[in-house]
């Protein structure tokens, strides 16, 4: 279980998080919702160790990891697929995957498992990453993250700018990760996608918690979406 307890963080002197808390259980998809600038991506960066905490705790199975650098959190099998994908554009598909395998100290079985989930990547192993379509780049970013065999998977806007067929594929892979026992934390603007796969939703505004509820509660009370998101 990943627990984020009252975390505060800033970009220089500009404070961005003001006591955010959330809990992600294994076999659960937790979605973070909020307007632009609410602190969603900042929360993901703080969990991954890319933004230092000024207050609060982040624990994984009870162990405090809030002061550990990002590479140590990756070694604890927390994987992050950032908004914008952040691939190695000059490297091939296979080389990008190999980078994930090195980070996770994983071998051919993990590579085969990842390519089985994304067969299109298997057809493009020697293609330069920068020449892939947006959807294929998202597949590759996700595949690379899965190479560390994560127990926690952070997905930041994974369907942004994708066509419907690619959105459905990312959705199916996300559900499969849940079935395999991962704790998935998802930032997503597509409310329909959230309602179709999330187990729990955390609403943020101006770097603060507004409310946490089950997806079933949100589906039963969609007025919350208008109240918190204006949709």
């Amino acid at each position: 279980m990943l627990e984020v307890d009252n975390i505060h963080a800033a970009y220089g002197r500009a404070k961005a998080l003001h006591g955010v808390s959330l809990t992600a259980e294994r076999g659960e998809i937790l979605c973070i919702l909020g307007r632009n600038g609410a602190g969603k991506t900042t929360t993901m960066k703080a969990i991954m160790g890319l933004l230092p905490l000024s207050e609060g705790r982040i624990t994984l199975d009870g162990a405090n990891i809030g002061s550990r650098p990002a590479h140590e959190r990756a070694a604890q099998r927390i994987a992050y697929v950032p908004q914008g994908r952040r691939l190695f554009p000059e490297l091939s598909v296979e080389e990008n995957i190999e980078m994930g395998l090195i980070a996770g100290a994983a071998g051919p079985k993990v590579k085969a498992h990842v390519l089985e989930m994304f067969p299109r990547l298997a057809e493009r192993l020697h293609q330069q990453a920068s020449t892939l379509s947006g959807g294929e780049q998202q597949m590759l970013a996700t595949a690379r993250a899965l190479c560390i065999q994560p127990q926690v998977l952070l997905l930041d806007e994974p369907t942004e700018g994708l066509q419907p067929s690619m959105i459905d594929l990312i959705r199916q892979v996300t559900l499969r990760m849940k079935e395999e026992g991962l704790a998935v934390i998802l930032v997503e603007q597509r409310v329909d996608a959230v309602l179709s796969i999330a187990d729990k939703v955390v609403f943020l505004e101006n770097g603060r918690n507004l409310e946490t509820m089950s997806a079933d509660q949100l589906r039963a009370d969609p007025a919350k979406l208008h109240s918190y998101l204006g949709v």
Side-chain angles (χ1 to χ4, degrees):
M1 177 179 72
L2 180 81
E3 187 170 5
V4 174
D5 181 21
N6 192 37
I7 63 170
H8 296 245
Y11 296 102
R13 290 192 289 180
K15 196 164 183 181
L17 299 180
H18 306 266
V20 170
S21 297
L22 58 86
T23 301
E25 305 275 358
R26 286 189 173 85
E28 175 182 81
I29 298 173
L30 168 69
C31 186
I32 303 175
L33 286 176
R35 293 181 173 92
N36 289 339
K40 305 182 297 294
T41 292
T42 302
T43 299
M44 300 287 257
K45 288 181 177 179
I47 293 171
M48 193 63 227
L50 299 173
L51 187 67
L53 303 182
S54 55
E55 296 180 49
R57 286 166 50 91
I58 299 173
T59 59
L60 181 64
D61 294 333
N64 188 1
I65 63 169
S67 61
R68 294 182 184 178
H71 70 275
E72 291 188 10
R73 299 192 202 192
Q76 292 287 316
R77 295 169 56 204
I78 299 175
Y80 180 35
V81 183
Q83 187 178 21
R85 295 137 196 166
R86 305 288 180 86
L87 297 170
F88 298 101
E90 303 303 319
L91 299 185
S92 69
V93 169
E94 186 167 33
E95 288 167 334
N96 270 274
I97 290 173
E98 290 291 338
M99 295 297 285
L101 294 172
I102 291 169
K109 287 186 178 180
V110 173
K111 180 179 179 180
H113 179 62
V114 166
L115 291 177
E116 181 266 325
M117 284 190 283
F118 297 102
R120 188 172 300 191
L121 295 181
E123 300 169 1
R124 290 164 169 73
L125 284 178
H126 304 296
Q127 187 171 332
Q128 191 172 309
S130 62
T131 67
L132 298 175
S133 70
E136 290 165 346
Q137 289 187 20
Q138 186 63 50
M139 290 182 201
L140 181 54
T142 306
R144 184 182 60 185
L146 294 178
C147 285
I148 74 165
Q149 303 176 81
Q151 53 181 328
V152 179
L153 178 63
L154 310 176
L155 296 171
D156 194 351
E157 300 278 11
T159 67
E160 183 179 32
L162 302 188
Q163 63 187 34
S165 62
M166 291 295 181
I167 291 172
D168 186 62
L169 176 61
I170 296 299
R171 175 182 177 275
Q172 293 303 322
V173 168
T174 304
L175 287 170
R176 180 169 175 177
M177 292 303 96
K178 170 187 171 177
E179 291 168 0
E180 293 186 5
L182 275 68
V184 179
I185 302 179
L186 171 68
V187 169
E188 179 59 79
Q189 294 285 11
R190 291 171 47 85
V191 173
D192 57 335
V194 170
L195 292 178
S196 67
I197 66 173
D199 297 293
K200 191 165 61 182
V201 176
V202 173
F203 287 100
L204 298 183
E205 185 171 271
N206 297 325
R208 295 177 172 87
N209 287 81
L210 287 176
E211 188 171 359
T212 299
M213 61 175 58
S214 72
D216 287 338
Q217 289 174 312
L218 184 57
R219 282 187 283 266
D221 186 12
K224 293 285 187 182
L225 293 170
H226 178 75
S227 175
Y228 292 147
L229 304 179
V231 297

